[in-house]
Amino acid sequence: MARDGGILVVDVGTTKICALIGEERDGKLWVTGMGVSPSQGLKKGTVINIEEATNSIKSAIDKAQGQAKVQPSLVFTSVAGSHIKIHSGMGVVALKEKVVTHEDIEEVLSSAQAVDISQDRVLLHVIPQEFVLDQTRGITQPLGMTGVRLEAHVQLITAQRSCVQNLLKCFEYLELEVDGIVFQGLASAEAVLSPEEKDLGVLLIDFGGGTSDIVVYREGVLRFASSIPVGGDLLTNDLAVCLKTSKNDAERLKLEEGVCLRELVEEGEIIEVPGIGNRPPRSIQKKILAEILEERVKELLALIDSEIKDIPKTYLTSGVVLTGGSALLPGLIYLCDQILDLPARIGFPERLPGLTEEIYHPQYATAVGMLIYAYQNYYQATEKPQKKRGILDMIRDLLKLKK
Ligand SMILES: Nc1ncnc2c1ncn2[C@@H]1O[C@H](COP(=O)(O)OP(=O)(O)OP(=O)(O)O)[C@@H](O)[C@H]1O
Ligand SMILES: [Mg+2]
C-alpha cells in the first residue's frame, strides 16, 4: 500500500543543503518541490554548529515546501564524513519449515547485524552480500527455496553516534521527525549508476565540497563504502593560499577558469587574480592555477586509490563514475585514467518527472538518489520489510536516547 503525503529528503552537504519533495502521481515518483540554501554550520560533512545548520536546513525546506504545498509523510536526511565505516557481518538460522520465509530472512539478517559494533556507533544500512542455503553459495534472493540452514553475509554501514545525533537535533528543532538517514555515497549511486554498471563492477566517487564519498558495486550489490574528508573546498583553499586571494575570489576563479590538467591550458594564457583587501590585482599564467589544482586532485585520487587497494581493478569493469559538484572540473576524467587506471564518466542524476532542468546537475545527485531510495524502499510497498525494519528501528532507538 502506498502512503499518503509527500516524501521530504534533505541532503545536508558541506556546501549546500538541498531539500526535495517527491509525490507519487500515476504510479510514478514526481519531484514537486526543490529548495537549496548555502550550507552553514557544517565542516567536512559534519554538523559543527547546530543553530547555523538548523537555519540552513530550514531555509531549504521552506523553499521546497513553498513549491510543493504537501505535508510530508516521510522525512529522510543524509550523512557523510570520515566517521562513516563499513563492517562485515554474518548470521545463521535453522529453517523450521524447511522452506525460506520472509520471517527467516528477517531473522538471519538481524542476527548478521549482531556484530560487535561499539556503543558510539549507529547502524545506517544493512546490505546483504549473499545468502548461503545449506552448501549452496551466491544466492541473492532465498525466499521460497528449500533447505535446513540459511546463512547471510552482509556489509554494515555505520556512523558515529554523536554526528548522527547532532544532525537529528537540527530536525528536532524544526519539529520534523526523521524516518531515515542515508549515507550520501549510497544515495548518489541510486541516482547516477545504471544497473549494468552496478552489475559489472563500478567505483562511484561523489566529489563534493567537504567530502569525497566512494562506493563500489559489483554483481548489483554494494561491496564497499567510505567517505574521505577532502572535497572541492580544499581546492578553493589551496588557490586562495597559493594565489594570495580571498576564498570568494578563489572559488570564482576555480569555477570560471579552473582545470585540473596543465596540458589543457594554452601557453601564455593570462588571468587576473584580485588582491586581498585593497591590494591591486595581479596577472598570472593560467597554467599556475591548473598546476595547483592538478597536484591536489592527484593527491585526492591517490588517497582514493589506497582506500580501494583491496579491490582488484579487474573487479571494476565499468570503471569510475564521478558525481558531486566538483566532478565537473575539466581534466578530472583524464586524471582518473592516469591515477586510478580506470575509465571515467560524469554521473548526472536520473531524470524524474516534475521539476526544472536545474536539478539535473551532479551536485544534486545525492538528493535525487535519496528520493529514489526513500520511494523504492519505504514509500511504495512493504516488499522489503528487512530493510524497513533495520533503519527505522535504528532511528527510533536514537530518538529514545535523546529523551
Ligand atoms: N563547474 C565546477 N567546476 C569545479 N568545481 C565545481 C563546479 N561546480 C561546483 N563545484 C564545486 O563543487 C563543490 C560543491 O559540490 P556539492 O554541492 O556536491 O557539495 P556538497 O554536497 O554541498 O558537499 P559534501 O557532499 O562534500 O558535504 C564546491 O567545492 C564547488 O566549488
Ligand atoms: Mg554532497
Side-chain angles (χ1 to χ4, degrees), residues 313-328:
K313 292 286 160 60
T314 49
Y315 198 91
L316 302 169
T317 313
S318 305
V320 184
V321 176
L322 294 158
T323 195
S326 304
L328 293 177

Side-chain angles (χ1 to χ4, degrees), residues 13-16 184 208-211 232-233 251 254-255 324-326 329 363:
T14 311
T15 311
K16 52 91 190 62
Q184 289 171 16
T211 63
D233 293 353
E251 176 73 11
K254 183 180 81 173
L255 298 184
S326 304
L329 204 56
Q363 70 191 24

Side-chain angles (χ1 to χ4, degrees), residues 89-93 105-115 150 152 154:
M90 200 274 270
V92 186
V93 289
I105 296 175
E106 272 196 52
E107 200 183 324
V108 77
L109 287 176
S110 86
S111 79
Q113 294 167 32
V115 294
L150 181 67
V154 300

